Amino acid sequence: MSISNATIQALLKDIYPKGLPYDATYTDYPFLALMPRDESFYGDSMKVPLKYGNNPGRSAAFGTAQSNSAYTKNVAFFVERAADYAVAKLTNEELEAAEVDQGAFVRTLQHEIEGATRAAITSEAISLAEDGSGVIGQLDATVTLASPTILLRDPETVVRFEVGQKIQLASSRASTGTLRSGTLTIIAIDRNSGVLTVGANISTISGATVNDFIVIEGDWQAKPKGFTAWIPDAAPGGSDSFFGVNRSADVVRLAGIRDDFSNLPIEEALVKAMKRVHREGSNANYAFLNFEKFAELENSLGSKVQYVDVNSPVGVGFRGIKVNSGKMPVTVLADMTVPSNKLWVAEMGVWKLASLKKSVRILDQDGNKMLRVSNADQVEIRIGGYKQFICMKPSGQGNFVI
């Protein structure tokens, strides 16, 4: 109960909890944290060679072996970088007002730099889960277009959105799809039910339909190509061209393994998934589920559950579940970027986050961490990076429906 007398209230201080403000944003992305880094992606592109077939010239008959001899099957992915940015802005007054401790809980400059950096890291984690299209969600089929309420088709993808983001709609994930004209601004998020509220009716975007895909403004077909680009949900067809490679010649060896185990208990689905990837000579040692499916696995194992602590190269630790799966044990981790009906299996040693210098950093090539805004009493700090995800052995990975 506050003091009601305005005269007395004006004399009293506002008291706040000790310490810095707590951060309610998301921080833990184990798939990204475990990803090996290569910060030497200089030049125009990176050539990633892959042998996917042996010489077919073999036979018990010498003449047949001789006549059937042909080159070992090789391809090369010509990988190009994708840019990603986050920009923080402060007025000069805001900057100067918080220069000393008595003026604010935290130095506003540091606070905004950390916020922009966190946004860039979150974008990177979502990119690892996605196919490069920029899509981060989808309208549910029950959405009313003459309404500002967006129900997400997969409510678990609500973790990918923030209040204030400007979003666009697209007819499909494919580059041949249509990016609708116009934007909507997210003004509220119900994280329990997977509902976004935007500042205008969905129908204000010309041509919008139910089941349209959601992208952040500016991201359409411009993001790094992550797990579901290298190991797509559907097998690539004859018109496939991925970094210059048509993967339909040998789908498993060039585009990984996929299957539907949704009719099986989760523990059995995991064992079958590991059997599939290990059959292909994989040393897959990690599996990723979203938090709901992780809890389902945990409950399924009951007293048999074996927990394991995992340390990542970036210094963030995670607690996973170790499951015996035939060839080798697999560590299962919960990652919020994994769709609700998916199990991803990865051989981490053959993945790479390749970037030109650090993948997320202050872009200060000219030596200036802050830049004056030319037409306002403001400064801006540019965070970003130039990067691409690379898989050097797709056959060791699995993208399974559970």
Side-chain angles (χ1 to χ4, degrees), residues 66-131:
Q66 188 179 49
S67 63
N68 289 344
S69 180
Y71 289 112
T72 298
K73 298 296 185 290
N74 300 289
V75 294
F77 299 95
F78 285 87
V79 176
E80 298 176 337
R81 293 182 295 270
D84 203 7
Y85 305 101
V87 178
K89 284 186 178 181
L90 284 168
T91 68
N92 280 295
E93 183 179 6
E94 291 166 342
L95 191 62
E96 292 178 6
E99 281 183 344
V100 295
D101 291 340
Q102 69 193 51
F105 291 105
V106 294
R107 302 291 173 88
T108 52
L109 177 61
Q110 176 187 350
H111 191 63
E112 291 304 311
I113 289 175
E114 289 176 352
T117 301
R118 181 70 58 77
I121 293 171
T122 298
S123 175
E124 192 170 86
I126 295 170
S127 294
L128 173 55
E130 280 294 342
D131 59 3

Side-chain angles (χ1 to χ4, degrees), residues 31 127-131 225-232 257 288 343-346 351 389 397-400:
F31 197 0
S127 294
L128 173 55
E130 280 294 342
D131 59 3
K225 298 184 186 298
F227 187 84
T228 51
W230 286 93
I231 318 298
I257 303 161
F288 300 92
L343 163 65
W344 291 345
V345 176
W351 284 92
F389 296 104
Q397 327 302 319
N399 181 354
F400 301 102

Side-chain angles (χ1 to χ4, degrees), residues 188-199:
I189 300 175
D190 184 341
R191 298 189 182 276
N192 290 318
S193 57
V195 172
L196 313 177
T197 303
V198 291

Side-chain angles (χ1 to χ4, degrees), residues 202-271:
I202 302 166
S203 56
T204 59
I205 290 189
S206 178
T209 65
V210 297
N211 292 322
D212 267 3
F213 295 86
I214 306 170
V215 299
I216 301 300
E217 183 182 17
D219 281 357
W220 175 244
Q221 302 300 328
K223 297 300 292 297
K225 298 184 186 298
F227 187 84
T228 51
W230 286 93
I231 318 298
D233 294 337
S239 61
D240 179 64
S241 180
F242 182 70
F243 288 130
V245 174
N246 186 321
R247 299 173 290 177
S248 64
D250 193 326
V251 169
V252 166
R253 290 185 177 178
L254 297 175
I257 303 161
R258 59 207 48 77
D259 210 332
D260 187 338
F261 296 137
S262 57
N263 62 330
L264 299 176
I266 190 167
E267 185 179 354
E268 187 176 344
L270 175 62
V271 172

